[in-house]
């Protein structure tokens, strides 16, 4: 059976050695096998907003660092769950529960919920966890994880994504975080607000790829990086770019500090 967004949290929990009670998803065994002979100090989960599997392929060339991570690691096309909107779909990715079970439909729902994400369960199990996300989302997670950093979009989405990336590296190096989730928004923001032509998407993708480069160079310890997306493009004007496909990419790739990104094959 094809993997879905429900399976990301159970895979991470299995790697970190804890259980998600009553989860809807299952472990992606191939990732467990890929990691079996690797020493993983920390896990970084990157959600790139609004990139379906079809768009991902079309952006081939604008995402060279992500492609390198994919070539070095594992690549899946996984099913995205309805409603394919940012908050519920990130809720699914972080909890391993279907939307009807986590009921996180808008950011306000994330403030007072009995549902716990893998970040909270990890923290309860003594694994320092954190999130670097937009300001309100971070406020909702405050006191529920070890580190919740909120970033405001003050100077445009490219600057926002870059600051998210910088703070992610600091969270690992300065705070000893072992499980971190970040959310990069340039491509979705482009689709919603300023895209007039295909070139705008490749431009946005390149800015995101620069952040992958900085992450790969900046990580100080052996890290398993997951890259996925919350939903395919959902802006009507550009939805045709996904060819009616509802899959999103999932990449799992091991980055070892001893390996210079420039010299990786
Ligand atoms: Zn989204």
């Amino acid at each position: 059976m094809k993997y879905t967004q429900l399976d990301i949290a159970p895979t991470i929990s299995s790697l970190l050695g804890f259980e998600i009670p009553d989860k809807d998803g299952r472990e992606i065994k191939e990732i467990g096998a890929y990691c079996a002979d690797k020493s993983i100090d920390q896990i970084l989960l990157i959600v790139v907003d609004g990139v379906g599997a079809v768009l991902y392929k079309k952006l081939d060339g604008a995402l060279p660092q992500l492609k390198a991570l994919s070539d070095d690691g594992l690549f899946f096309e996984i099913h995205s769950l309805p409603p394919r909107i940012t908050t519920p779909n990130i809720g699914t990715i972080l909890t391993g529960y279907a939307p009807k079970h986590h009921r996180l439909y808008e950011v306000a729902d994330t403030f007072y919920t009995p549902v716990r994400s893998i970040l909270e369960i990890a923290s309860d199990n003594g694994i320092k966890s954190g999130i670097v996300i937009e300001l309100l989302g971070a406020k909702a997670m405050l006191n529920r994880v070890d580190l919740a950093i909120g970033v405001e979009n003050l100077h445009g989405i490219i600057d926002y994504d870059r600051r998210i990336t910088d703070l992610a590296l600091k969270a690992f190096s300065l705070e000893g975080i072992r499980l971190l989730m970040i959310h990069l928004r340039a491509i979705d923001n482009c689709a919603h607000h300023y895209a007039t032509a295909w070139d705008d998407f490749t431009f946005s993708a390149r800015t995101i790829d620069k952040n992958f480069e900085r992450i790969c160079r900046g990580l100080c310890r052996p890290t398993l990086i997951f890259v996925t997306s919350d939903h395919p493009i959902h802006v009507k004007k550009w939805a045709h770019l996904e060819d009616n496909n509802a899959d999103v990419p999932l990449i799992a790739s091991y980055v070892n500090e001893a390996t210079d990104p420039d010299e990786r094959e």
Side-chain angles (χ1 to χ4, degrees), residues 49-50 85-86 183 188 230-231 234:
D49 206 308
I85 298 169
T86 305
H183 179 207
D188 179 73
D230 48 357
H231 51 78
H234 55 195

Side-chain angles (χ1 to χ4, degrees), residues 108-166:
D109 298 331
T110 63
F111 274 84
Y112 304 103
T113 171
V115 171
R116 293 189 317 153
S117 70
I118 40 165
L119 301 173
E120 289 141 288
I121 306 176
S123 184
D124 286 352
N125 281 274
I127 298 161
K128 276 186 100 174
S129 71
I131 190 163
V132 187
I133 196 163
E134 52 82 29
L135 200 56
L136 200 58
K139 273 188 183 161
M141 294 301 281
L142 211 63
N143 301 324
R144 285 161 47 185
V145 293
D146 296 279
L147 187 73
I149 304 179
V151 174
E152 258 186 295
N153 181 359
L154 295 173
H155 305 290
I157 202 68
I158 295 164
D159 172 73
Y160 170 93
D161 279 352
R162 190 167 45 225
R163 280 188 296 141
I164 292 254
T165 304
D166 286 345

Side-chain angles (χ1 to χ4, degrees), residues 24-37:
D24 293 314
R26 66 204 162 115
E27 185 197 347
I28 301 172
K29 296 277 184 205
E30 292 88 337
I31 296 180
Y34 169 72
C35 295
D37 62 348

Side-chain angles (χ1 to χ4, degrees), residues 47-51 84-87 89-90 183 185 188 192 229-232 234:
V47 176
V48 179
D49 206 308
V51 182
R84 303 192 178 93
I85 298 169
T86 305
T87 300
N89 281 58
I90 289 183
H183 179 207
R185 293 168 44 204
D188 179 73
H192 278 278
S229 184
D230 48 357
H231 51 78
H234 55 195

